[in-house]
């Protein structure tokens, strides 16, 4: 069974995000980039399925500009077999990504597509769902456990009220949540080996899908800083302050 | 369990300017030699912090077509100023009074981190293997006592040093020659200096702490290529140091304060000195309306030629600031670090031919006959002159004697021995941050993007756990609370139950996750009680353009 894992390169989650002075976006110049943490979990899940003999091949795919190759190389060092970069300078929005992934699925014929439940940069939480709809496949989102049996997959989903266990027939799309696994450290010799694994670059235009952005960014701003609170001495003072200053009662 | 091993011709510890220059030169001279560079930062540049005004001389030698290859040298120094500050005033020092070392014509204002990122690309194009995210934590020896290589640290140990589920053992990297290019106060370099007794003939090393901020300023305040150095306020007359303000491209301004770690007053708070420096009328106008982008700190060597240990030992050598090749009169160490790396590479290529000699004696010789040595020899008495006769002594020395004097002054003591007890001083009252120009420590550290896995052994170790309270607190009011530019050391009450006896319920808390890897604590702790060991590879700051 082939598994396709879609990964996105995002600003590393330890970096304090800076908004550009002209409010057109966030600063990415020389900022450390990494694989989106949820995608890393998806990749770890795929590698474990391969290690347990269930999957035959793990392919990673990413969409965007050329420097993303570094992130794909790390994915190869973690354990993926080969990588695919769909190269485009166009801002990648969820629908466009889903369409491009649909085209990659048509070429590669995986039985399972794994993605992070969301990317930590735009937090859209849409791509997996859109891809499943475009492919007309079953979907298991926010997975905290994945069990494969024959041509079925059982997915435990993290939902507001607890855990939901669903069963999907293959092929299927699964998006991964935080508790699914703990991704491994990359070993130094594996980084070396990863340099020799295949990484194919494909121009997005070659896949012949419309990826024109549908959303327009008007302005990017830092959230307002929360005002520091005050301490009140007693309940009476609280009530007066709520009436006279906050004017809420 | 035994660790896995890999073998190369040359292993280089540290992807700073020294290590990367050595790697590039090696491959230029011999394309089939195998070279591996390991770097503890999560990526090349992540742990690099400098001013920096860069003297391009060695880059012209190493990669003459750097301009074509888009090296990040964008801003030539155009205008230079040296200011003497008092609390509210500033005086311009006329250029005829200044020593020649402060002339920066033809030099560039750069981000050293970005230059290292570019050098790493050039090195990789030549076939050098660079592995960021791995720290060298141990020197490995051959049976004959020569250096065999290094061991990278384990990943995935918990805070009691027990393996976690994802534990990975370290990897041994063996080489014919191992080059130690760890920068100022290197972990393994210091161990080697002790092990091979390399400092028997040299003076005690001496250091300074540099704390730096990067700003994006109002375009009307920005003049690309403008350089300001200041001395005087906010430091008192007995504390060595000064500040720098460099206008880079894209409305960016790098500024910082350098404080000699031989300072005496235990109440001195280098971070707060920098914050109040920015409030000076001559400085704050530049910053008003701007935004702080980054923050960080690093120590630098200021011992000069006298403090440089022996460079060569069987199986390896010391490079760059790990050896102490910094020209303190110029406040520059990038060009000398680069040159030392190139010379080490030349020495290796000559020595690899049979008969193979594991001691790179020719490196020593090459250094002594290069411009690098001449330069350091000329300014060898600059720091001791400053220490003895103050700024005037330094100027007279650099301006008039210019190294031609037939004597060499000594440093006498190590930095930590200069610290006096608190009874000699009153606590310094620093102004509160205004959160526009000056800030508190923790919001500053946040801008260094520092991250360490929380569940790992504490990488700052105390030889004697009682010293922080029984001696440091009692005698010096716990100076580590102030000199650490990351707030790692905090004196806290052990528990909330009030204890009647004074001090017994206090303890030193070590917030190791904040550590910027500057090494000031190892240098300044009055009883040399703190040891900096390497945390898990990839941990530490993630500096963007420092
Ligand atoms: C505030 C400040 C301002 C300065 N201004 C200037 C200036 O204007 N001009 C100038 O020329 N110089 C300046 N310098 C000095 C200059 O920065 C240094 O001389 C130079 O960085 C030395 O280069 P290096 O390669 O020897 O060491 P570093 O730059 O310190 O690089 C060492 C590298 O090795 C890595 N490393 C260390 N130990 C290990 C290990 N055990 N395992 C793996 N990796 C390791 C580190 O993470 C780092 O990336 C300044 C320094 C400071 C602090
Ligand atoms: S703990 Fe030591 S090395 Fe780390 S930031 Fe503080 S002074 Fe520097």
């Amino acid at each position: 069974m082939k598994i396709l894992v879609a990964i996105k390169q995002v600003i590393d989650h330890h970096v304090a995000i800076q908004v550009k002075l002209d409010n057109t976006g966030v600063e990415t110049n020389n900022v450390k980039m990494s694989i989106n943490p949820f995608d890393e979990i998806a990749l770890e899940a795929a590698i474990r399925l391969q290690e347990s003999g269930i999957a035959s091949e793990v392919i990673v795919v990413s969409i965007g500009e050329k420097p993303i190759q570094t992130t794909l190389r790390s994915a190869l060092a973690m354990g993926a077999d080969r990588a695919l970069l769909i190269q485009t300078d166009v801002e990648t929005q969820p629908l466009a990504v889903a369409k491009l992934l649909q085209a990659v699925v048509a070429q590669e014929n995986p039985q399972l597509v794994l993605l992070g439940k969301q990317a930590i940069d735009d937090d859209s939480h849409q791509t997996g769902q859109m891809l499943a709809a475009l492919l007309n496949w079953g979907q298991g989102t926010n997975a905290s456990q994945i069990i494969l049996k024959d041509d079925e997959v059982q997915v435990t989903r993290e939902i507001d009220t607890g855990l939901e266990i669903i069963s999907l027939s293959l092929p299927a799309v699964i998006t991964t949540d935080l508790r699914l696994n703990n991704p491994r450290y990359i070993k130094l010799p594996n980084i070396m080996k990863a340099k020799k694994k295949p990484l194919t670059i494909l121009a997005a235009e070659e896949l012949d899908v419309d990826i024109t952005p549908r959303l327009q960014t008007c302005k990017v701003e830092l959230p307002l800083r929360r005002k520091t609170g005050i301490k009140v001495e007693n309940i009476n003072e609280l009530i007066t302050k709520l009436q006279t200053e906050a004017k809420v009662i | 369990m035994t660790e896995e091993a890999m073998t190369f011709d040359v292993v280089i510890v540290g992807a700073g300017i020294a290590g990367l220059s050595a790697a590039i030169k090696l491959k230029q001279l011999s394309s089939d030699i195998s070279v591996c560079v390991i770097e503890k930062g999560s990526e090349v540049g992540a742990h690099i912090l400098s001013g920096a005004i860069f003297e391009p001389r060695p880059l012209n030698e190493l990669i003459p077509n750097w301009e074509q290859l888009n090296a990040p040298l964008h801003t030539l120094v155009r205008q230079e100023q040296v200011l003497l500050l008092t609390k509210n005033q500033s005086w311009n020092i006329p250029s005829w009074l200044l020593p020649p070392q402060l002339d920066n014509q033809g030099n560039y204002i750069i981000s050293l981190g970005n230059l290292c990122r570019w050098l790493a690309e050039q090195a990789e194009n030549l076939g050098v293997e660079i592995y960021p995210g791995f720290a060298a934590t141990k020197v490995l020896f051959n049976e004959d006592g020569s250096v065999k290589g290094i061991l990278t640290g384990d990943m995935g140990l918990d805070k009691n040093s027990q393996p976690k589920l994802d534990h990975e053992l370290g990897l041994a990297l063996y080489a014919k020659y191992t080059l130690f290019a760890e920068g100022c106060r290197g972990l393994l370099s210091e161990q080697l200096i002790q092990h091979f007794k390399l400092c028997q003939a040299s003076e005690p090393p001496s250091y300074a702490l540099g704390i730096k901020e990067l700003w994006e300023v109002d375009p009307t305040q920005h003049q690309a290529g403008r350089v300001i150095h200041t001395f005087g306020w906010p430091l008192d007359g007995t504390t060595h140091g000064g500040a720098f303000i460099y206008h880079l491209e894209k409305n960016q301004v790098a500024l910082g304060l350098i404080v000699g770690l031989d300072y005496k007053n235990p109440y001195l708070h280098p971070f707060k000195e920098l914050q109040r420096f920015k409030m000076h009328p001559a400085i704050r106008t530049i910053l008003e309306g701007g935004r702080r982008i980054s923050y960080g700190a690093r120590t630098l060597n200021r011992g000069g030629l006298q403090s440089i240990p022996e460079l060569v030992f069987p199986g390896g050598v010391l490079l760059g600031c790990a050896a102490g090749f910094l020209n303190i009169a110029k406040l520059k160490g990038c060009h000398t670090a680069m040159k030392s790396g190139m010379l080490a590479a030349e020495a290796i290529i000559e020595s690899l031919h049979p008969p193979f000699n594991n001691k790179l004696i020719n490196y020593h010789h090459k250094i002594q006959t290069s411009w690098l040595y001449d330069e350091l020899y000329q300014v060898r008495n600059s720091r001791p002159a400053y220490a003895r006769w103050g700024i005037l002594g330094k100027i007279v020395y650099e301006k008039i004697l210019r190294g031609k004097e037939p004597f060499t002054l000594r440093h006498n003591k190590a930095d930590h021995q200069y610290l006096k007890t608190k009874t000699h001083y009153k606590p310094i009252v620093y102004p509160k941050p205004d959160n526009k120009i000056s800030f508190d420590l923790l919001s500053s550290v946040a801008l260094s993007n520092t991250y360490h896995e929380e569940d790992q052994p504490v990488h700052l170790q105390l030889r004697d756990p009682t010293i922080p309270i029984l001696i440091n607190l009692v005698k010096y009011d716990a100076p580590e609370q102030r000199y650490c530019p990351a707030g790692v050391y905090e004196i806290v009450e052990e528990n909330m139950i009030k204890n009647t006896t004074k001090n017994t319920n206090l303890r030193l808390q070590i917030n190791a996750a904040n550590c910027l890897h500057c090494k000031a604590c190892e240098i300044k702790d009055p009883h040399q009680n703190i040891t900096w060991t390497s945390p898990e590879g990839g941990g530490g700051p993630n500096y963007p353009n420092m």
Side-chain angles (χ1 to χ4, degrees):
Chain A
M1 186 183 76
K2 258 195 202 179
I3 303 182
L4 182 72
V5 184
I7 64 179
K8 182 176 188 182
Q9 176 177 288
V10 294
I11 295 182
D12 188 271
H13 61 292
H14 303 123
V15 169
I17 302 290
Q18 306 262 355
V19 174
K20 289 188 186 159
L21 265 194
D22 62 5
N23 296 100
T24 55
V26 299
E27 191 57 71
T28 53
N29 190 13
N30 292 313
V31 169
K32 177 165 160 43
M33 308 297 277
S34 317
I35 175 170
N36 172 38
F38 292 108
D39 301 344
E40 194 180 13
I41 292 170
L43 177 57
E44 176 68 32
I47 298 168
R48 288 188 191 180
L49 286 170
Q50 189 180 34
E51 284 169 346
S52 60
I54 296 172
S56 55
E57 191 183 22
V58 176
I59 309 159
V60 281
V61 56
S62 190
I63 299 162
E65 296 179 34
K66 212 162 176 192
I68 295 184
Q69 280 185 71
T70 4
T71 296
L72 284 171
R73 282 281 169 220
S74 313
L76 292 172
M78 239 176 102
D81 297 301
R82 60 191 171 91
L84 191 62
L85 169 63
I86 313 290
Q87 198 181 334
T88 172
D89 298 340
V90 180
E91 181 197 330
T92 48
Q93 296 182 352
L95 182 60
V97 172
K99 285 182 187 169
L100 288 169
L101 291 178
Q102 182 191 17
V104 173
V105 167
Q107 282 186 359
E108 297 285 350
N109 283 314
Q111 287 292 92
L112 189 62
V113 179
L114 290 176
L115 313 84
K117 68 167 182 176
Q118 71 198 80
I120 60 164
D121 51 1
D122 58 19
D123 280 335
S124 292
H125 205 305
Q126 294 168 350
T127 309
Q129 291 89 326
M130 286 176 169
L131 176 64
L134 289 170
L135 292 167
N136 206 13
W137 289 5
Q139 58 173 296
T141 55
N142 303 6
S144 64
Q145 195 180 32
I146 302 172
I147 301 171
L148 269 138
K149 295 186 215 135
D150 307 323
D151 48 5
E152 252 189 32
V153 55
Q154 182 187 306
V155 176
T156 306
R157 304 183 57 227
E158 303 227 341
I159 55 173
D160 287 348
T161 47
L163 298 175
E164 181 185 61
I165 300 177
I166 59 169
S167 181
L168 307 165
S169 50
L170 292 174
V173 173
I174 297 176
T175 72
T176 54
D177 213 328
L178 206 59
R179 267 177 281 268
L180 178 60
N181 59 43
N182 203 357
R184 66 195 61 198
Y185 287 103
I186 298 179
K187 285 195 193 180
L188 207 152
N190 291 350
I191 304 178
M192 214 171 274
K193 284 179 205 146
K195 290 194 176 151
K196 300 199 180 76
K197 290 186 181 176
L199 192 162
T200 319
I201 301 179
L202 203 68
E205 301 82 59
E206 285 178 47
L207 291 172
D208 202 23
V209 296
D210 176 15
I211 55 167
T212 332
R214 309 288 162 103
L215 308 167
Q216 193 195 334
T217 305
C218 307
K219 198 174 182 190
V220 178
E221 273 182 340
L222 276 181
L224 276 183
R225 281 237 332 234
R226 211 174 140 257
K227 281 201 189 125
T228 42
I230 50 158
K231 265 193 186 157
V232 290
E233 290 294 323
N234 52 44
I235 207 81
N236 290 337
E237 194 190 338
L238 174 67
I239 291 172
T240 357
K241 290 238 188 267
L242 288 176
Q243 279 170 340
T244 56
E245 286 179 29
K247 298 205 170 80
V248 287
I249 52 172
Chain B
M1 274 196 284
T2 50
E3 63 276 346
E4 277 183 76
M6 288 182 358
T7 303
F8 298 86
D9 290 321
V10 180
V11 164
I12 301 175
V13 181
I17 191 164
L20 291 168
S21 305
I24 290 172
K25 189 77 193 174
L26 279 166
K27 280 293 203 180
Q28 285 176 343
L29 293 173
S30 162
S31 58
D32 52 0
I33 187 170
S34 62
V35 182
C36 166
V37 184
I38 68 155
E39 166 56 48
K40 67 179 161 61
S42 66
E43 57 173 11
V44 175
H47 287 186
I48 299 289
L49 181 143
S50 190
I53 300 182
F54 179 59
E55 200 174 302
R57 182 174 184 177
L59 182 62
N60 292 333
E61 294 171 13
L62 184 68
I63 308 179
N65 61 338
W66 56 262
E67 216 159 350
Q68 259 166 303
L69 295 171
N70 292 322
L73 272 60
H74 304 300
T75 315
L76 260 173
V77 174
R78 291 216 170 76
Q79 185 199 338
E80 287 185 76
Q81 237 180 331
V82 178
L83 300 179
L84 169 65
L85 299 187
T86 59
K87 190 155 189 283
N88 295 309
Q89 307 270 355
S90 64
W91 284 274
N92 227 325
I93 309 293
S95 57
W96 58 264
L97 252 180
L98 295 173
Q101 282 83 5
L102 278 177
D103 181 7
N104 278 304
Q105 223 179 16
N107 295 340
Y108 290 82
I109 307 177
I110 63 161
S111 146
L112 182 61
N114 293 348
L115 180 61
C116 287
R117 288 182 177 98
W118 178 84
L119 285 171
E121 259 174 56
Q122 311 309 311
E124 284 191 305
N125 290 343
L126 291 167
V128 174
E129 311 214 20
I130 304 178
Y131 298 107
F134 297 91
T137 54
K138 200 172 156 191
V139 183
L140 301 171
F141 295 94
N142 287 308
E143 270 173 21
D144 66 0
S146 61
V147 170
K148 186 177 188 185
I150 55 95
L151 186 67
T152 66
D154 280 18
M155 306 289 254
L157 290 176
D158 72 9
K159 52 176 174 299
N160 302 315
S161 302
Q162 294 304 308
K164 294 186 276 191
L165 276 178
D166 53 2
H167 174 245
E168 291 286 350
L169 269 182
L171 179 78
L173 300 176
Y174 299 143
K176 292 193 180 100
Y177 297 109
T178 310
L179 309 185
F180 294 84
E182 300 174 284
C184 181
R185 192 82 186 192
L187 170 70
L188 303 184
S189 313
E190 291 301 315
Q191 290 173 11
L192 287 162
I193 291 172
Q194 298 303 323
H195 180 86
F196 288 111
K197 303 196 169 58
L198 303 176
C199 57
Q200 272 177 332
S202 53
E203 297 275 313
S206 171
Y207 305 92
L209 173 63
I211 306 184
K212 175 181 167 181
E213 294 183 354
L214 186 67
W215 282 68
E216 186 171 339
V217 300
D218 186 329
T220 58
Q221 289 300 327
H222 188 258
Q223 288 168 271
R226 181 175 182 205
V227 164
I228 306 171
H229 288 111
T230 77
F231 61 97
W233 190 86
L235 300 178
D236 63 38
T238 65
T239 307
H240 303 144
F244 63 88
I245 301 169
Y246 302 154
H247 291 242
L248 295 110
E249 59 272 8
K250 292 188 192 151
N251 297 325
Q252 291 188 7
V253 168
L255 63 92
L257 182 72
I258 314 261
V259 179
L261 281 174
D262 55 356
Y263 70 80
K264 302 183 182 76
N265 183 347
Y267 290 115
L268 186 87
H269 197 308
F271 169 82
K272 289 187 178 169
E273 295 290 345
L274 172 64
Q275 298 310 311
R276 77 170 169 184
F277 163 74
K278 290 185 293 177
M279 304 304 279
H280 191 280
I283 311 302
R284 67 172 301 153
T285 43
I286 303 174
L287 303 176
E288 249 152 17
R291 171 179 74 119
R292 198 166 60 141
I293 305 173
S294 194
Y295 167 85
R298 182 82 170 98
T299 48
L300 48 140
N301 318 66
R302 51 197 284 274
L305 207 57
Q306 296 90 312
S307 294
I308 294 177
E310 258 184 67
L311 303 167
V312 185
F313 43 87
V317 297
L318 303 174
L319 303 184
C321 274
F325 291 122
L326 183 130
N327 182 331
I328 191 64
K330 284 187 178 174
L331 185 69
K332 290 189 188 67
C334 297
H335 65 303
T336 45
M338 191 167 203
K339 183 69 180 173
S340 71
M342 291 156 62
L343 294 174
E346 286 174 18
I348 288 177
I349 298 298
E350 286 170 14
S351 309
L352 274 177
H353 296 300
F356 169 73
N357 182 353
N358 70 3
K359 221 174 159 195
L360 283 174
I361 313 280
N362 46 348
Y363 172 55
H364 186 85
H365 178 72
K366 280 176 185 293
I367 293 273
Q368 284 208 317
T369 51
S370 72
W371 56 254
L372 159 55
Y373 184 87
D374 293 343
E375 207 188 290
L376 293 183
Y377 184 79
Q378 235 185 56
V379 300
R380 70 192 182 285
N381 286 331
S382 161
R383 179 197 170 275
Y386 190 8
R388 284 178 176 73
W389 308 302
I391 188 73
L392 218 71
K394 179 176 151 80
I395 290 181
V396 166
Y397 170 72
E398 285 166 9
K399 185 81 193 160
I400 300 164
L401 292 172
R402 296 189 189 189
K404 295 201 186 79
E405 68 284 4
F407 55 88
T408 297
L409 296 169
R410 303 173 60 100
H411 297 327
N412 306 328
K413 289 195 281 189
D415 291 335
H416 66 274
Q417 293 168 320
Y418 286 89
L419 195 70
K420 290 195 173 164
T421 54
K422 66 180 184 187
T423 47
H424 293 82
Y425 297 92
K426 280 203 204 75
I428 305 175
V429 184
Y430 289 101
K432 281 223 164 68
D434 71 351
N435 289 321
K436 291 190 185 83
I437 307 283
S438 60
F439 302 91
D440 65 37
L441 185 60
L442 286 183
S443 65
S444 304
V445 176
L447 289 180
S448 66
N449 303 320
T450 297
Y451 167 77
H452 290 92
E453 163 67 43
E454 287 280 348
D455 188 13
Q456 66 169 307
V458 173
H459 73 275
L460 296 145
Q461 292 172 356
L462 302 176
R463 283 197 191 93
D464 177 348
T466 64
I467 285 183
I469 300 299
L470 294 185
I471 297 179
N472 284 5
L473 182 64
V474 175
K475 282 172 76 177
Y476 307 99
D477 197 36
E480 59 273 35
Q481 298 190 96
R482 290 175 290 276
Y483 62 64
C484 171
V488 167
Y489 302 100
E490 249 184 297
I491 302 286
V492 293
E493 264 180 66
E494 184 63 282
N495 48 35
M496 297 315 283
I497 307 161
K498 286 267 184 308
N499 200 326
T500 41
T501 44
K502 219 177 160 189
N503 284 351
T504 48
N505 56 345
L506 295 176
R507 78 182 166 88
L508 179 71
Q509 174 171 302
I510 302 181
N511 308 313
N514 281 357
C515 177
L516 295 170
H517 298 199
C518 78
K519 317 276 177 83
C521 49
E522 256 208 4
I523 297 164
K524 191 61 180 173
D525 182 72
H527 288 268
Q528 299 291 281
N529 187 39
I530 300 174
T531 310
W532 188 95
T533 64
S534 183
E536 197 166 89
N542 281 290
Y543 295 136
N545 302 301
M546 299 288 265

